[in-house]
Amino acid sequence: MLDVTAVRTSVLPPYAAHLRVYEPLAAYPEPERSHWQAYAAERGPDAASAGEPVARAALEAQRGALAELLPFASRAVPAGAAPHRPGAGEQAFVRELDAVTYVCPWATRLRSWQALEELSESLPVALLDAVLPQAVRRDALLAQERWRADHPDARPWILTSRWEVPVRWFLPFGAEDRRYRPAEPGQGAQPGVPAALFYLTPMAQARKRVARGYRVLRERLAGSPLTLGAEQVGRWLEEFHPRSLVELDYGGLVHAIGEPELAADRSAAELAEGLAALREGDVERAGRAYQLVAERWRRVLALRQAN
């Protein structure tokens, strides 16, 4: 059975992983560029090196989201600016690397619409109505349709997956992109720092790996879920500036997975090994590598049903 990481904090982030793209400031047109430049200058970076996670900023974002729920009636998406045009209150994760500032906007309303679609597909109608009344959902979907009509090419900078990291998300990364930081115990009244596990790589390298993986999957496993998933990831990455950064963050999943398992997790390397074997025609070795990754995440996903 997986161990549970103890975290000394009053709020835990959801058991979700995130695939993020950080675009350089130069990628944003005005007035977005000026907005994010001022935002980054005022707050400073959430991570000032490639080895530093944005976990603390992500936890603060979760605390803020929970606090906003308290004084309001049920609503499907937060009020605010259009998803692609930042206004007051719009926020982002900021990374600084080699003296370049990179920004990953939260695009909260756009991601809330997407989460609402997923929620509608995953919950029984009676439970869904209890969480979000039908009238609230209808208003949110009408607002989304109006906005989508004017922004048909809109895409979020952040993809979220609850209770697992989809295997296709490891395609953009290599073993050298892995960053693991063990948990740090608290001292006195100060809470401890939870473990963090994430991957970070330049966009050019991410696209190259996904394209190479997709080619071998299409040749050997055409029509398989992993092949279709590789195509989806590749299309999403193509939407962003070529000098962006791509990050896979285990996020709140570190609180569901024990530290020994986190320290031993080499999912990206195992998937890369499987693709290399598949490229060489060694189907048996490729299958073993894939099973290692898939089975690891099936065990984590099974925790969703645990009492």
Side-chain angles (χ1 to χ4, degrees):
M1 182 175 177
L2 296 177
D3 296 331
V4 177
T5 303
V7 182
R8 293 177 60 187
T9 176
S10 60
V11 177
L12 294 182
Y15 297 131
H18 310 280
L19 189 62
R20 304 187 183 106
V21 170
Y22 297 78
E23 292 190 285
L25 282 174
Y28 295 92
E30 293 292 359
E32 286 89 341
R33 185 186 306 172
S34 294
H35 171 86
W36 294 127
Q37 188 170 20
Y39 179 90
E42 180 182 354
R43 290 169 47 92
D46 297 308
S49 70
E52 187 178 350
V54 297
R56 188 176 297 278
L59 183 56
E60 290 302 320
Q62 178 64 15
R63 286 196 178 105
L66 289 174
E68 284 187 359
L69 290 176
L70 296 179
F72 296 102
S74 296
R75 62 187 185 187
V77 297
H84 273 220
R85 188 165 298 280
E90 183 62 26
Q91 300 184 67
F93 294 113
V94 178
R95 278 193 170 275
E96 193 170 285
L97 188 62
D98 298 329
V100 177
T101 298
Y102 298 86
V103 176
C104 175
W106 294 357
T108 307
R109 297 194 77 207
L110 177 58
R111 292 170 57 217
S112 296
W113 281 328
Q114 293 177 326
L116 177 59
E117 293 175 357
E118 296 173 7
L119 192 68
S120 299
E121 295 172 356
S122 61
L123 290 182
V125 174
L127 182 56
L128 185 61
D129 286 342
V131 175
L132 285 172
Q134 187 175 8
V136 174
R137 302 199 308 274
R138 183 178 62 248
D139 290 345
L141 293 176
L142 287 174
Q144 180 186 21
E145 289 175 4
R146 290 193 297 269
W147 187 84
R148 280 287 189 188
D150 295 328
H151 304 82
D153 298 324
R155 75 285 185 271
W157 287 263
I158 305 172
L159 302 181
T160 297
S161 174
R162 282 162 290 280
W163 285 104
E164 66 172 337
V165 178
V167 174
R168 62 184 179 275
W169 283 12
F170 292 105
L171 287 167
F173 306 98
E176 67 274 20
D177 301 320
R178 181 182 182 275
R179 274 87 175 180
Y180 172 62
R181 187 191 66 186
E184 299 176 12
Q187 297 183 355
Q190 294 297 318
V193 178
L197 179 55
F198 68 99
Y199 292 80
L200 187 70
T201 197
M203 176 64 78
Q205 189 65 25
R207 288 177 178 172
K208 186 183 302 182
R209 290 191 181 111
V210 173
R212 188 164 57 235
Y214 177 65
R215 280 196 298 271
V216 67
L217 287 167
R218 185 179 57 187
E219 292 171 2
R220 305 286 186 175
L221 299 171
S224 71
L226 185 56
T227 304
L228 298 175
E231 183 178 12
Q232 292 171 357
V233 171
R235 289 184 183 277
W236 182 67
L237 293 179
E238 288 294 332
E239 296 289 335
F240 300 97
H241 193 279
R243 294 187 183 276
S244 300
L245 301 175
V246 185
E247 176 185 65
L248 169 55
D249 184 359
Y250 278 38
L253 285 177
V254 299
H255 304 300
I257 305 172
E259 283 209 52
E261 286 78 13
L262 285 174
D265 186 318
R266 296 293 188 279
S267 293
E270 290 162 357
L271 182 60
E273 179 184 345
L275 289 172
L278 197 60
R279 192 176 296 112
E280 297 166 5
D282 190 340
V283 178
E284 184 176 346
R285 182 161 64 95
R288 287 198 301 270
Y290 178 79
Q291 281 301 118
L292 279 174
V293 182
E295 181 56 33
R296 174 179 299 119
W297 291 105
R298 274 196 291 268
R299 291 197 301 272
V300 178
L301 186 60
L303 294 174
R304 181 174 58 181
Q305 308 297 333
N307 189 326

